[in-house]
Amino acid sequence: MNGHSMLRETLRRLSRNPLAVAGAAVVLFFCVLALFPWLVSSHDPNRIDILKILEPPSGAHPLGTDDLGRDVLARMLHGARISLSVGFVAESIAIGIGLVIGLLAGYYGGKVDSLLMRFVDIMLCFPTFFLILAVIAFIGPSIWNIMFIIGVTGWMGVARLVRAETLSLKERDFVAAARAQGAGTARILFRHILPNTLAPILVAATLGVAGAILVESGLSFLGIGVQPPTPSWGNILTAGKDNIEFAWWLSLFPGLAIFLTVLGYNLLGEGIRDAVDPRLKGR
Amino acid sequence: MLRYVVRRVLVSVPLLIGISLITFGVINMAPGGPIGISSDLNPKATAEYRERLKAYYGLDQPLYVQYGRWLGRMAVLDFGDSFSADGRKVWDKIRERILVTLSINVLSMALIFLVAVPLGIYSAVRKGSVFDRVATVTVFTGFAIPTFWLALLLMILFGVRLGWLPISGLVSLEYDTLPLAGKILDRAAHLVLPVFLMAFGGLAGISRYMRSTMLEVIRQDYIAAARSKGLPERAVVFRHAVRNALLPVITILGLSVPGLLGGSVIFETIFAIPGMGQLFFQGVMSRDYPLIMGILTIGAFLTLLGNILADVGYALADPRIKTERAG
């Protein structure tokens, strides 16, 4: 079976799983909104209007206004950009680190492997949120710092997955064939082994993006997430919770956005896992 | 068996050293240093005063000396004095709060286990059914809702509107005047929301894992054998499949310790619970280095302990491991 028809087979199985399809639709929906916010709202997310403070949803402001009279819909759309970027960048960092460490450990084995895997074990011992909190409080809550630290504390699962795949792949005939043809280590790792580890990485990535978005909202709640006035779903929700008793729209929409996005990524990730798992074939 | 336990503990020693190195590295990433707060903002603080302050806290020594000193003291649970105004011993501060955090964590872990295991089993047995789908969405809902938001909504509903449950702290103001039964009820009532919320958030991990190991076990030959000898489906599932599928879940329980501990920062902040998470957050905000190092180390140590306990539990439950190590 070549790569093309395998992809088609996976997509076919994915499309028969209603939960995964729903998850994919939600993910796509928020991605489009984040990429093209002006399709939905032309308001400036940072324009303060003290005459329109805490207005409930109306024709002019479909999701209402916040405590500074800013348009909540516009802030949500631009917040989507920030929150999703945090998710994507943080997870890309995590995958980058996990990939390199997993490939090296799995391919070289022996001392390199046990050293790297002990490092993974050590990192896994830390309550991640404690580490993130400590580092953010020290180096400051800029958006780049947040992406960086979430990524740097979240690569261990990927490293283990990639290592396990590499361990079994490097013994396979096609790797031996490549080596016999004179391919160097780098070529074998990146051209022959890496593509075969993509499916589990994709699953880990979808779950990781969701996790990063949640972590940012938790940091925002503690006051050390993405800093206002830059909108993120986390800090809109945090601002909204102070007015929760008399301005429900301020916390409902960001809360729902985070919830739906994280749920969507999780359902999609689980769906991909089921679809690519060869052991579940024909079930 | 004892041999296995001893070996398992010995393997953890290098991990502990690695943990302490990373903790120490994190603390030293900080610009400004711990005396920044008390001297940078103070225009009267002279350079000489700063040096004296540094020397007082031992911060003028090279890093490896600071680390060596700290490691030596850590071995006897002496994490030094807190930088906060009260200047108390870090271990004393942690000790009076650790039980609160641990008991809430253990309670929610028990609740997770009680709910997630049957949920995972039924989802696997009826894979693709309506029950399976509803369970999937429900457990992921618990994971996906920002905890502080759900906590706030439940506090408003049960605490403010309905008035059924207290919304902050561990005990009520009139706690001391209550009779014993009242005291127990009072404590329990304060734990309902945090424990429920924490369990709801952690349900997905265990129940999904249970579901997938169960699916794996059901495909094994011995299950087919049990079926083909005419055993009723109930017996096949509960006597043969569940027993085997439960084993790996023990390990996952150990692995979920760091997640629960980390989550306690947010829970304890929302519900004003005087636990280790709240203490850690206070320490982070005031750059209380010894306190941060102490809690990071204790947190990692607890995780390590959780993993050892899980592995030993696994070995106790699975006869194959014991025979393997016996030789």
Side-chain angles (χ1 to χ4, degrees):
Chain A
M1 203 191 292
N2 63 35
H4 187 66
S5 71
M6 216 163 98
L7 182 69
R8 258 207 345 234
E9 170 68 15
T10 306
L11 281 177
R12 191 184 61 82
R13 260 184 283 165
L14 202 59
S15 67
R16 279 207 249 141
N17 179 346
L19 289 183
V21 172
V26 172
V27 166
L28 207 66
F29 174 72
F30 282 109
C31 281
V32 169
L33 287 187
L35 283 174
F36 312 107
W38 55 86
L39 285 179
V40 188
S41 167
S42 53
H43 284 283
D44 176 350
N46 288 321
R47 192 169 168 275
I48 294 172
D49 187 345
I50 48 165
L51 295 176
K52 288 185 167 178
I53 284 172
L54 294 180
E55 276 188 10
S58 64
H61 301 283
L63 302 186
T65 61
D66 69 4
D67 51 349
L68 294 174
R70 294 174 298 195
D71 181 59
V72 173
L73 177 59
R75 289 191 68 73
M76 287 290 301
L77 291 167
H78 288 263
R81 288 192 145 180
I82 302 291
S83 290
L84 293 177
S85 313
V86 168
F88 280 117
V89 176
E91 196 46 29
S92 306
I93 295 173
I95 287 178
I97 301 174
L99 207 62
V100 171
I101 292 196
L103 281 175
L104 292 179
Y107 190 76
Y108 286 108
K111 278 210 176 104
V112 177
D113 182 30
S114 50
L115 201 71
L116 288 175
M117 284 305 112
R118 281 305 80 70
F119 183 48
V120 169
D121 290 342
I122 291 169
M123 286 297 290
L124 280 173
C125 277
F126 284 102
T128 313
F129 200 63
F130 277 16
L131 262 189
I132 292 175
L133 215 62
V135 177
I136 285 295
F138 290 155
I139 63 178
S142 84
I143 183 166
W144 296 109
N145 286 350
I146 290 173
M147 292 168 170
F148 165 78
I149 189 63
I150 295 179
V152 165
T153 53
W155 52 268
M156 292 80 77
V158 177
R160 282 190 160 176
L161 274 174
V162 173
R163 170 185 175 265
E165 292 282 318
T166 309
L167 269 181
S168 72
L169 285 168
K170 73 172 177 186
E171 307 295 344
R172 298 267 282 275
D173 291 342
F174 68 89
V175 173
R179 203 176 290 129
Q181 284 176 350
T185 305
R187 191 179 163 81
I188 290 177
L189 279 179
F190 288 100
R191 203 61 218 159
H192 298 279
I193 294 186
L194 181 62
N196 285 295
T197 62
L198 283 183
I201 290 178
L202 190 63
V203 175
T206 45
L207 305 182
V209 169
I213 293 173
L214 274 182
V215 169
E216 193 281 321
S217 79
L219 289 174
S220 278
F221 167 72
L222 295 173
I224 50 179
V226 172
Q227 295 298 297
T230 307
S232 79
W233 287 345
N235 67 32
I236 302 173
L237 177 56
T238 301
K241 82 174 167 42
D242 300 330
N243 297 311
I244 198 165
E245 291 274 29
F246 33 87
W248 52 268
W249 56 92
L250 258 182
S251 50
L252 179 70
F253 297 120
L256 274 183
I258 296 174
F259 162 56
L260 287 175
T261 304
V262 174
L263 186 66
Y265 275 100
N266 274 291
L267 293 177
L268 178 62
E270 288 270 312
I272 298 175
R273 193 199 324 254
D274 281 352
V276 294
D277 190 345
R279 287 168 305 185
L280 291 174
K281 237 175 230 170
R283 282 187 161 253
Chain B
M1 190 64 216
L2 188 68
R3 225 157 140 196
Y4 173 71
V5 175
V6 170
R7 221 175 61 183
R8 186 64 189 71
V9 171
L10 282 182
V11 170
S12 309
V13 172
L15 291 189
L16 260 183
I17 293 174
I19 287 166
S20 71
L21 267 174
I22 290 182
T23 311
F24 195 77
V26 167
I27 306 295
N28 284 289
M29 280 178 78
I35 56 166
I37 286 187
S38 58
S39 57
D40 284 357
L41 299 174
N42 184 353
K44 286 189 199 151
T46 59
E48 186 226 4
Y49 169 74
R50 257 173 245 188
E51 287 312 307
R52 221 170 47 209
L53 213 56
K54 264 188 169 176
Y56 178 72
Y57 287 122
L59 297 168
D60 54 345
Q61 303 287 328
L63 278 183
Y64 62 87
V65 175
Q66 289 187 39
Y67 173 71
R69 284 183 176 175
W70 181 72
L71 196 64
R73 292 193 311 254
M74 196 183 71
V76 287
L77 280 182
D78 176 7
F79 296 104
D81 297 338
S82 163
F83 282 170
S84 66
D86 58 14
R88 294 174 56 210
K89 287 225 173 299
V90 166
W91 174 238
D92 286 344
K93 285 192 143 188
I94 297 176
R95 200 176 48 188
E96 63 195 24
R97 284 165 174 259
I98 196 169
L99 271 183
V100 172
T101 302
L102 278 185
S103 47
I104 293 179
N105 275 301
V106 168
L107 281 175
S108 24
M109 222 188 272
L111 189 59
I112 290 174
F113 198 73
L114 283 178
V115 179
V117 167
L119 215 58
I121 294 173
Y122 279 111
S123 283
V125 172
R126 294 177 206 161
K127 181 172 181 276
S129 68
V130 176
F131 177 88
D132 182 26
R133 298 226 160 99
V134 171
T136 303
V137 174
T138 310
V139 297
F140 279 128
T141 298
F143 175 76
I145 292 191
T147 43
F148 66 94
W149 185 49
L150 184 61
L152 217 64
L153 293 177
L154 293 183
M155 278 161 90
I156 290 174
L157 179 62
F158 291 107
V160 182
R161 295 274 157 80
L162 297 172
W164 290 352
L165 293 167
I167 54 172
S168 81
L170 278 177
V171 292
S172 311
L173 287 173
E174 68 275 14
Y175 179 74
D176 288 329
T177 66
L178 294 171
L180 183 64
K183 279 185 180 172
I184 295 172
L185 264 180
D186 188 54
R187 279 199 177 253
H190 279 85
L191 287 178
V192 171
L193 280 181
V195 169
F196 166 78
L197 276 164
M198 212 166 194
F200 189 39
L203 217 50
I206 309 273
S207 76
R208 296 309 283 178
Y209 192 74
M210 186 72 217
R211 179 179 179 271
S212 65
T213 53
M214 192 67 189
L215 283 175
E216 195 118 329
V217 167
I218 286 178
R219 281 196 298 270
Q220 301 294 321
D221 289 342
Y222 57 82
I223 296 298
R227 271 206 190 109
S228 61
K229 76 180 180 191
L231 279 184
E233 189 63 22
R234 275 186 64 88
V236 174
V237 170
F238 288 101
R239 208 164 327 137
H240 295 259
V242 169
R243 274 192 188 181
N244 288 289
L246 261 176
L247 279 176
V249 176
I250 300 177
T251 321
I252 289 291
L253 272 180
L255 283 176
S256 61
V257 173
L260 289 176
L261 276 182
S264 59
V265 175
I266 289 185
F267 287 103
E268 292 176 3
T269 307
I270 297 175
F271 291 104
I273 293 172
M276 214 167 65
Q278 199 194 42
L279 182 68
F280 184 71
F281 185 53
Q282 291 164 359
V284 158
M285 293 321 258
S286 60
R287 287 195 184 154
D288 192 342
Y289 288 20
L291 185 69
I292 296 169
M293 275 162 90
I295 297 185
L296 270 180
T297 313
I298 293 270
F301 178 74
L302 286 175
T303 308
L304 212 54
L305 201 67
N307 287 342
I308 294 177
L309 284 179
D311 281 358
V312 171
Y314 194 110
L316 280 175
D318 190 344
R320 277 171 303 184
I321 291 187
K322 260 182 283 182
T323 45
E324 241 170 66
R325 315 266 171 183

